[in-house]
Amino acid sequence: EDQVTQSPEALRLQEGESSSLNCSYTVSGLRGLFWYRQDPGKGPEFLFTLYSAGEEKEKERLKATLTKKESFLHITAPKPEDSATYLCALLTGTASKLTFGTGTRLQVTL
Amino acid sequence: DGGITQSPKYLFRKEGQNVTLSCEQNLNHDAMYWYRQDPGQGLRLIYYSQIVNDFQKGDIAEGYSVSREKKESFPLTVTSAQKNPTAFYLCASSDRGKGNTEAFFGQGTRLTVV
């Protein structure tokens, strides 16, 4: 059975304090790994897609990387507006279904 | 603007009633999905549809039903058989035809049983 585990569950950073969020997985045939940002009471917002080990994507203060067993979302010099829950999801199998992790709740304070 | 519209944003249901959640997209996507989100849990797939007039059960389909009569629309009915329907419901779509597999989400419907 495909499994996705995100850590930590919650992370509190001061503004400018860089860190990384982890998404580890066990799957039988990864077709893609996705990162989303979700604000309270809102739908997830798409950030990145990674397809193969060694791939990296960047957007502003965020950088996503992928290995054969895990993905990292690196946040460089975060700002309070980066506070949100970050979700990792896997695409496996022939149907376009996503399996989601439980997310990391990030809080960035001044 | 292209996007996914869910309505209503908030919905209250009495026990024993069926309710239908609306999801409309104007992105011309073939695939559409319904997820349920509960506190402390990841999004769980209820139903998905890859083409019009076809849909499949997800991981937690019991107590729910869907239809896909039009490409743009994928309504979800929460029936009285769903024992714990209070949750945040999210609709999504993706463009499988072009190999773009990322899913885009609506803003959600929060259903509360009163």
Side-chain angles (χ1 to χ4, degrees):
Chain A
E1 184 179 333
D2 299 337
Q3 289 196 337
V4 188
T5 303
Q6 290 190 247
S7 62
E9 286 188 16
L11 181 62
R12 185 181 174 116
L13 300 173
Q14 288 195 321
E15 185 175 14
E17 180 185 2
S18 301
S19 188
S20 297
L21 282 54
N22 178 263
C23 172
S24 63
Y25 58 89
T26 54
V27 297
S28 55
L30 179 68
R31 291 175 53 203
L33 185 144
F34 303 84
W35 282 99
Y36 287 86
R37 169 194 170 125
Q38 186 177 24
D39 293 301
K42 300 287 183 65
E45 174 189 347
F46 171 73
L47 294 174
F48 303 110
T49 308
L50 301 167
Y51 290 106
S52 57
E55 190 174 358
E56 300 182 350
K57 295 274 181 72
E58 283 190 69
K59 180 181 179 181
E60 296 180 353
R61 295 177 292 282
L62 299 177
K63 179 180 178 181
T65 62
L66 180 66
T67 72
K68 290 185 178 180
K69 294 294 185 184
E70 59 191 348
S71 177
F72 291 94
L73 185 64
H74 307 279
I75 303 177
T76 302
K79 298 182 178 182
E81 53 261 42
D82 294 322
S83 298
T85 295
Y86 291 85
L87 301 171
C88 167
L90 306 180
L91 181 69
T92 60
T94 55
S96 295
K97 298 192 298 179
L98 293 175
T99 301
F100 280 84
T102 54
T104 293
R105 190 171 63 253
L106 174 66
Q107 183 180 13
V108 182
T109 60
L110 293 171
Chain B
D1 287 339
I4 301 173
T5 301
Q6 291 188 241
S7 62
K9 187 172 182 178
Y10 299 98
L11 186 57
F12 297 90
R13 188 195 95 170
K14 292 183 179 179
E15 287 193 20
Q17 284 184 334
N18 293 353
V19 290
T20 297
L21 283 59
S22 171
C23 178
E24 303 277 334
Q25 55 100 357
N26 60 5
L27 300 169
N28 199 34
H29 286 172
D30 291 310
M32 296 187 74
Y33 314 84
W34 275 105
Y35 289 89
R36 170 181 171 142
Q37 189 173 35
D38 296 282
Q41 296 194 42
L43 276 69
R44 292 182 290 168
L45 183 64
I46 304 172
Y47 268 97
Y48 65 103
S49 168
Q50 299 184 66
I51 55 172
V52 175
N53 293 322
D54 187 47
F55 49 83
Q56 289 79 38
K57 293 182 179 181
D59 300 319
I60 55 166
E62 185 175 352
Y64 300 97
S65 66
V66 294
S67 63
R68 186 84 187 277
E69 297 177 358
K70 299 187 299 181
K71 188 175 186 178
E72 303 79 20
S73 179
F74 192 40
L76 173 73
T77 296
V78 184
T79 75
S80 57
Q82 169 52 234
K83 298 305 179 188
N84 186 22
T86 295
F88 190 48
Y89 290 87
L90 289 159
C91 178
S93 71
S94 67
D95 184 1
R96 299 177 61 245
K98 295 182 179 180
N100 298 325
T101 53
E102 59 265 25
F104 296 92
F105 285 83
Q107 290 303 294
T109 292
R110 186 166 299 280
L111 173 63
T112 304
V113 174
V114 297

